[in-house]
Amino acid sequence: MRSDSTAVVTGGGRGIGQAIAVELAKDGADVVLAGIDEGGMEETVSLIESEGQRAIDQYTDLKHYESVQSSIDTALEEFESIDILVNNAGIAGPTASCEEVSVEEWDDTIDVNLRGPFFACKEVLPVMKAQQYGRIVNVASVTGKRPLEQRTPYAATKMGLIGFTRTLAAEVGEYNINVNAICPGSVDGPRIRRVFEQKAESTGQSYEDVRQAAESESPRGELVEREDIAELAAFLCSDESERITGQDLNVSAGKVMY
């Protein structure tokens, strides 16, 4: 990572995003948090400042291009450059069969999970091209590589995000900009617990059975921790990853091996 780097992390108020933001701060980056969880982002700012780095939080609705534009403009006013972009923010979307998914649920999932990263990249790329340097990390999912029943909107966005990552990496490599995706398996925390609860309700299973089934898909018999994702993200933003681009890297405890 460049000295005095500035990172923008979407959805940095909790979970994976918070862990990534703090890990980048540990490596010496100042961080701009962009998301809608204002209370969570305030907490993350405090954690970053405790690492001796600067941080600001910007309310950002990724469904609206103007909101993303405004946040990136503020980041540039405050820090003058953007070296790292982590597109972490995302929603789980509905747990239901395709015909039971409403148009509004489909659109919301597409807007946050796929349009949001496009908006953010569209805004930071001119800066990165001008400085001939950049690191972009998109948080996708192993669902971007395989089916996930009852989750068609989510699967569509994560598969799309991997295609976006590969194509963008090919477009911007000549500017010394690397673009990679991280594909987590089931990450332990409140979000996956809600997904398990929704699946249990929709299928008539118990929560315990749903969770055990998810854990048993891994050779290690466990879920992933958010710190696992954060450490890989920090590596992909470091100088050690200089020639790694256009990749979609699994962190799934062996749940997916391709």
Side-chain angles (χ1 to χ4, degrees):
M1 183 185 300
R2 279 183 166 182
S3 60
D4 301 321
S5 289
T6 298
V8 173
V9 180
T10 69
R14 56 188 170 185
I16 295 172
Q18 184 178 78
I20 290 173
V22 173
E23 194 69 28
L24 292 173
K26 289 179 180 178
D27 284 353
D30 297 322
V31 183
V32 178
L33 304 168
I36 60 174
D37 182 2
E38 294 180 284
M41 288 193 295
E42 288 179 7
E43 178 185 356
T44 309
V45 167
S46 296
L47 292 171
I48 291 168
E49 290 176 341
S50 71
E51 298 294 337
Q53 298 301 126
R54 294 186 295 159
I56 60 171
D57 59 286
Q58 288 292 301
Y59 181 88
T60 311
D61 186 345
L62 291 172
K63 293 188 288 185
H64 299 288
Y65 181 45
E66 295 77 10
S67 182
V68 177
Q69 275 185 310
S70 176
S71 293
I72 297 301
D73 287 345
T74 300
L76 290 171
E77 289 170 9
E78 183 73 21
F79 296 106
E80 298 184 354
S81 70
I82 296 172
D83 307 287
I84 295 165
L85 170 64
V86 180
N87 286 308
N88 161 77
I91 60 175
T95 300
S97 61
C98 183
E99 70 272 20
E100 293 172 335
V101 173
S102 71
V103 172
E104 292 75 18
E105 288 173 325
W106 176 272
D107 287 346
D108 280 346
T109 311
I110 296 290
D111 285 350
V112 176
N113 292 3
L114 199 51
R115 282 164 55 94
F118 161 66
F119 291 159
C121 288
K122 181 176 173 63
E123 286 300 296
V124 304
L125 279 171
V127 178
M128 291 181 173
K129 285 183 175 182
Q131 67 194 16
Q132 293 283 301
Y133 180 87
R135 297 289 183 266
I136 298 174
V137 176
N138 297 320
V139 179
S141 169
V142 294
T143 300
K145 302 183 175 187
R146 64 172 204 169
L148 182 59
E149 293 181 22
Q150 305 285 308
R151 301 285 299 284
T152 48
Y154 180 79
T157 61
K158 295 306 182 179
M159 290 181 180
L161 193 55
I162 289 175
F164 177 67
T165 297
R166 293 175 180 174
T167 304
L168 187 58
E171 285 186 10
V172 301
E174 65 182 289
Y175 299 98
N176 194 28
I177 301 170
N178 289 1
V179 188
N180 291 290
I182 298 175
C183 298
S186 299
V187 180
D188 204 2
R191 177 172 160 177
I192 195 64
R193 291 168 199 155
R194 288 193 298 271
V195 171
F196 290 162
E197 288 167 0
Q198 290 173 348
K199 185 171 182 179
E201 183 178 349
S202 68
T203 62
Q205 298 174 275
S206 69
Y207 171 87
E208 291 73 18
D209 286 344
V210 171
R211 182 183 178 100
Q212 185 176 19
E215 291 173 342
S216 68
E217 290 183 318
S218 157
R220 295 175 59 92
E222 59 186 355
L223 304 182
V224 176
E225 299 295 331
R226 65 179 195 163
E227 288 76 17
D228 301 329
I229 315 302
E231 289 168 3
L232 177 55
F235 168 73
L236 291 173
C237 296
S238 72
D239 292 339
E240 285 75 15
S241 67
E242 181 70 25
R243 290 170 184 82
I244 300 174
T245 193
Q247 304 303 303
D248 38 274
L249 306 171
N250 300 331
V251 184
S252 67
K255 183 175 182 177
V256 170
M257 298 184 182
Y258 51 87

